[in-house]
Amino acid sequence: MSLAHTAAEYMLSDALLPDRRGPRLKGLRLELPLDRIVKFVAVGSPLLLMSLAFAQEFSSGSPISCFSPSNFSVRQAAYVDSSCWDSLVHHEQDGPGQNKMKSLWPHKALPYSLLALALLMYLPVLLWQYAAVPALSSDLLFIISELDKSYNRSIRLVQHMLKIRQKSSDPYVFWDELEKARKERYFEFPLLERYLACKQRSHSLVATYLLRNSLFLLFTAATYLYLGHFHLDIFFQEEFSCSIKTGLLSDETHAPNLITCRLTLLSVFQIVSLSSIAIYTILVPVIIYNLTRLCRWDKRLLSVYEMLPAFDLLSRKMLGCPINDLNVILLFLRANISELISFSWLSVLCVLKETTTQKHNIDTVVDFMTLLAGLEPSKPKHLTHPACDEHS
């Protein structure tokens, strides 16, 4: 065996990917990076603000401070604070003899409304987790495995071709068999391509992904409406008039009908309201960008894998409307590119393909590795002419 053939065998052996059996792909990402950011911010920020509200309430003591008359006892003053916080209603004169009441309950409900918002924002995450992740996980495992296997099969095919070429005494027979195999499409492994083509006609994953992001937008709009309707009207109101003619003080003739109380935690209320608006305003463009990614194909990833036999979705123009499950799978393949060991090898081969002088003879990784192994990717001219002479 010549040194050239030995070097070619070593080169092809090194190009083979390791066999990944056993616990496979434990680090599979089933959420896109931007989706993960949206989830953590949309769910985590209300919980963080709720913690701030509770911490401030516990550290400051009473959330309101009422200006009770000086003749009130300590018990009566404590009752006024408790009664006004329980009712939390502002009384104001609206014309002669008419009282207008305005509820200030959003101050009391602030921590609980934040908790409800966090739970609401977690619903799209649960939807994705239970409706899409099981199917997506199995799809990615199969496709990643088949892409790497297709690459390995191509390398093993070149190894086999090299051995046949070494054993063949007649080069005409070898090249005739090779061209016949290409015409009969023996080098192609259509299972993966057909599976991906089927995914173009499936819409369950893309529907779940659209619903997830649409729910985020819907709940964000509901948050805006809640803040605008309930928080804006009382945003700057620090003091309110409270009616104390109830319970313990209902029969006290010396007690006034209304006393003034001050909200000691108004600054926390304002910070939470503004922070919520700012956070979700920033998230809206991110969510919209996530949706727009479904409107275009990741042709960079597809073009790299065009080097594999029977992976010609681009060259056959098989890609139609991008809003289908295949496009979602391609986005997740891009996010899990570290699990695709064959991608780095094929990327290198694509770069080398662009620099070779025989581009017209190189279509797949089989052709390129055949060339690197010292074989011509197509029948040499000096073997073609004699065959033509025999027919003439």
Side-chain angles (χ1 to χ4, degrees), residues 12 23 65 89 96 155 187 194 217 272 278 289 291 302 326 362 371 381:
L12 292 172
S65 176
V89 174
I155 300 300
F187 295 165
R194 291 178 182 176
L217 291 176
V272 168
Y289 173 75
L291 292 173
L302 290 174
L326 177 59
I362 299 176
L371 183 64
K381 292 182 180 179

Side-chain angles (χ1 to χ4, degrees), residues 321-337:
C321 175
I323 303 178
N324 52 52
D325 286 358
L326 177 59
N327 200 10
V328 176
I329 290 172
L330 291 178
L331 290 174
F332 280 89
L333 283 176
R334 172 66 69 178
N336 290 278
I337 206 71

Side-chain angles (χ1 to χ4, degrees), residues 175-193:
W175 286 112
D176 287 342
E177 289 294 324
L178 185 58
E179 289 185 356
K180 180 182 177 182
R182 280 184 175 139
K183 288 178 183 178
E184 297 293 334
R185 299 170 69 90
Y186 292 160
F187 295 165
E188 299 188 3
F189 311 99
L191 173 63
L192 178 60
E193 185 182 83

Side-chain angles (χ1 to χ4, degrees), residues 303-317:
S303 63
V304 169
Y305 277 96
E306 287 276 302
M307 289 285 288
L308 288 180
F311 197 90
D312 46 0
L313 294 174
L314 278 178
S315 59
R316 288 191 190 180
K317 298 181 179 179

Side-chain angles (χ1 to χ4, degrees), residues 44-311:
S45 58
L47 296 177
L48 182 63
L49 294 173
M50 181 187 69
S51 303
L52 170 65
F54 273 128
Q56 189 67 24
E57 183 177 337
F58 292 145
S59 63
S60 301
S62 177
I64 63 172
S65 176
C66 294
F67 303 104
S68 303
S70 57
N71 59 347
F72 273 26
S73 65
V74 174
R75 182 187 174 201
Q76 288 175 326
Y79 173 79
V80 167
D81 286 352
S82 174
S83 175
C84 288
W85 176 247
D86 287 342
S87 64
L88 211 59
V89 174
H90 173 55
H91 296 260
E92 59 181 349
Q93 293 292 331
D94 188 23
Q98 292 183 351
N99 251 354
K100 181 182 178 182
M101 294 186 297
K102 181 171 67 173
S103 177
L104 306 176
W105 67 267
H107 286 280
K108 189 189 298 185
L110 181 64
Y112 310 103
S113 62
L114 290 171
L115 178 60
L117 178 60
L119 293 175
L120 197 64
M121 288 296 180
Y122 196 64
L123 290 180
V125 179
L126 287 178
L127 170 71
W128 179 257
Q129 191 70 29
Y130 288 101
V133 163
L136 178 64
S137 173
S138 61
D139 285 340
L140 289 176
L141 285 173
F142 172 75
I143 293 171
I144 290 174
S145 175
E146 281 301 310
L147 287 174
D148 288 348
K149 285 179 181 177
S150 295
Y151 170 83
N152 270 355
R153 284 194 292 262
S154 299
I155 300 300
R156 290 194 179 99
L157 182 59
V158 179
Q159 288 179 322
H160 183 66
M161 289 166 56
L162 187 62
K163 291 178 181 178
I164 292 177
R165 180 67 182 88
Q166 292 172 13
K167 295 177 181 178
S168 176
S169 57
D170 188 356
Y172 293 100
V173 175
F174 170 75
W175 286 112
D176 287 342
E177 289 294 324
L178 185 58
E179 289 185 356
K180 180 182 177 182
R182 280 184 175 139
K183 288 178 183 178
E184 297 293 334
R185 299 170 69 90
Y186 292 160
F187 295 165
E188 299 188 3
F189 311 99
L191 173 63
L192 178 60
E193 185 182 83
R194 291 178 182 176
Y195 183 77
L196 295 178
C198 288
K199 285 299 172 181
Q200 283 196 89
R201 299 187 291 272
S202 174
H203 298 87
S204 57
L205 283 177
V206 72
T208 307
Y209 189 79
L210 288 171
L211 182 58
R212 169 193 166 124
N213 286 280
S214 299
L215 286 176
F216 273 126
L217 291 176
L218 178 64
F219 295 155
T220 301
T223 303
Y224 287 152
L225 289 175
Y226 173 81
L227 293 174
H229 187 267
F230 294 107
H231 283 216
L232 186 60
D233 191 36
I234 60 175
F235 189 76
F236 297 103
Q237 185 166 349
E238 187 175 9
E239 295 183 350
F240 67 99
S241 298
C242 175
S243 175
I244 61 173
K245 283 291 188 176
T246 57
L248 183 65
L249 300 176
S250 58
D251 298 327
E252 296 289 337
T253 57
H254 65 279
N257 290 330
L258 300 173
I259 64 170
T260 301
C261 297
R262 185 172 64 87
L263 294 164
T264 59
L265 298 179
L266 179 65
S267 59
V268 175
F269 181 82
Q270 292 173 334
I271 290 172
V272 168
S273 301
L274 291 176
S275 299
S276 299
I277 292 175
I279 289 170
Y280 288 108
T281 301
I282 293 172
L283 281 185
V284 167
V286 179
I287 297 171
I288 294 175
Y289 173 75
N290 285 343
L291 292 173
T292 58
R293 285 191 297 176
L294 295 176
C295 299
R296 62 183 185 275
W297 292 103
D298 186 0
K299 293 187 178 181
R300 162 67 180 146
L301 181 67
L302 290 174
S303 63
V304 169
Y305 277 96
E306 287 276 302
M307 289 285 288
L308 288 180
F311 197 90

